[in-house]
Amino acid sequence: MMISPFPCLDINRFRGTTKFLRTTKRKAKEIADGDDEKEGNEFLKEVKRLKRTIPEWDTFFQEESDDVRGSHWIRLEIVGQPLLEKYAWAIPDDTALNVVANFAPLVEIGAGKGYWTSLLRARNVSIRAYDRFIYPENVRWASIARGGPPVLKLPKNEGRNLFLSYPDEDQEMSTRCLQYFTGEYIVHVGELITTSTLAGGMQAPFGRTTASQFQISLCTEFHCVLIYRLPNFPFGNDHLTVWKRKNWVPGRSGKKDDRWADVP
């Protein structure tokens, strides 16, 4: 199950909290205004700007001082959470987009606001995007059709590879996708047991993004052919992974459950 990564904070623990929050917003804005990057990926640009305001970004959980880490959690919540809500749960970069593009044509289930879709379409990638909930046009990044896993059986979607990014929020949508998908490749964005997670508790060891049953079925019927670590917030361990359907051959006994995967 996917939940907001930001914990409940007792901000009264920190001295000068109100001043700190005002300073955080002002500092991020000043850095953003002075940024001269020319990338078309606005989400990545904004994350890079925020990262410069948190020197411990890459060693976030190694920091010995709970107060220092706590103040950074507040900064991430005040500035980072709105970025996730505005753009997407996972941060794309050029390498990731190039990889996804190589597996076109695609069909995406659970496209959200369509940020990844918009960047892929800007690269002339053929991708059909669906979601059971359609956001208003003024907050969407791309046109999204209404629909869930059953649309994978539509004739126009046959032959397309499946793209899933943070698929499971309040239901096991990803597992249902496997029931309908008959294509060769699945491109997954998020956390998996095979790539690990930084989260503990109920989210371990399968991660914050994708149902455990889907992951078990994925590892059973597909094999991983590519892993790429995405840009992450300090609390995330998102990877782009590509999975190819296994080709099964019968075993010596000829029994139904005696089969072996032909994995090159």
Side-chain angles (χ1 to χ4, degrees):
M1 174 167 302
M2 181 182 69
I3 64 173
S4 173
F6 301 104
C8 295
L9 293 171
D10 179 8
I11 60 177
N12 293 320
R13 288 180 55 204
F14 306 101
R15 296 181 179 178
T17 297
T18 303
K19 180 180 179 181
F20 170 79
L21 297 182
R22 288 199 303 265
T23 303
T24 293
K25 290 182 176 180
R26 185 174 64 250
K27 186 174 181 181
K29 185 178 186 302
E30 290 172 353
I31 292 177
D33 291 342
D35 198 320
D36 61 355
E37 294 184 30
K38 304 300 182 182
E39 302 172 19
N41 185 349
E42 293 300 318
F43 187 14
L44 182 59
K45 281 176 38 173
E46 294 203 52
V47 170
K48 288 180 176 179
R49 295 168 192 167
L50 175 59
K51 183 176 181 179
R52 293 173 201 160
T53 72
I54 303 178
E56 296 82 10
W57 185 284
D58 294 322
T59 58
F60 195 80
F61 296 109
Q62 299 175 23
E63 174 58 54
E64 296 180 358
S65 171
D66 289 340
D67 284 353
V68 171
R69 183 165 50 248
S71 68
H72 291 331
W73 272 119
I74 295 177
R75 188 184 298 275
L76 287 169
E77 183 170 18
I78 297 301
V79 184
Q81 179 69 27
L83 297 182
L84 295 171
E85 295 173 355
K86 178 180 179 180
Y87 294 103
W89 286 105
I91 308 165
D93 64 8
D94 282 346
T95 299
L97 294 169
N98 287 337
V99 169
V100 177
N102 273 287
F103 291 90
L106 297 157
V107 55
E108 180 180 12
I109 308 297
K113 293 181 179 178
Y115 186 70
W116 280 69
T117 297
S118 70
L119 296 179
L120 289 167
R121 286 176 178 168
R123 295 167 178 248
N124 297 315
V125 173
S126 175
I127 178 169
R128 296 184 183 275
Y130 296 88
D131 202 294
R132 62 188 177 89
F133 175 79
I134 305 299
Y135 285 93
E137 187 174 356
N138 64 328
V139 298
R140 270 189 284 120
W141 293 94
S143 60
I144 308 293
R146 189 178 303 277
V151 304
L152 294 171
K153 296 295 289 184
L154 296 176
K156 65 181 179 181
N157 291 327
E158 291 183 359
R160 290 177 174 267
N161 292 314
L162 177 60
F163 178 52
L164 296 173
S165 179
Y166 271 64
D168 296 318
E169 183 172 1
D170 56 6
Q171 60 178 348
E172 295 190 354
M173 184 192 71
S174 58
T175 304
R176 294 186 61 221
C177 283
L178 287 182
Q179 298 171 3
Y180 293 96
F181 179 64
T182 59
E184 186 175 11
Y185 288 96
I186 294 177
V187 181
H188 178 274
V189 169
E191 296 181 345
L192 297 172
I193 192 171
T194 54
T195 55
S196 189
T197 179
L198 304 182
M202 294 181 63
Q203 294 180 323
F206 293 96
R208 304 172 296 116
T209 71
T210 312
S212 58
Q213 185 55 54
F214 167 84
Q215 298 187 42
I216 294 170
S217 298
L218 182 69
C219 292
T220 301
E221 298 298 329
F222 293 77
H223 67 277
C224 187
V225 296
L226 185 148
I227 300 174
Y228 172 68
R229 191 172 194 272
L230 295 167
N232 277 275
F233 281 89
F235 47 76
N237 193 33
D238 293 337
H239 286 71
L240 168 68
T241 54
V242 179
W243 299 76
K244 187 177 189 291
R245 190 181 294 275
K246 293 176 181 176
N247 178 37
W248 295 99
V249 297
R252 182 177 180 183
S253 71
K255 294 181 180 179
K256 184 178 180 180
D257 60 350
D258 183 9
R259 60 176 187 163
W260 298 82
D262 176 19
V263 177

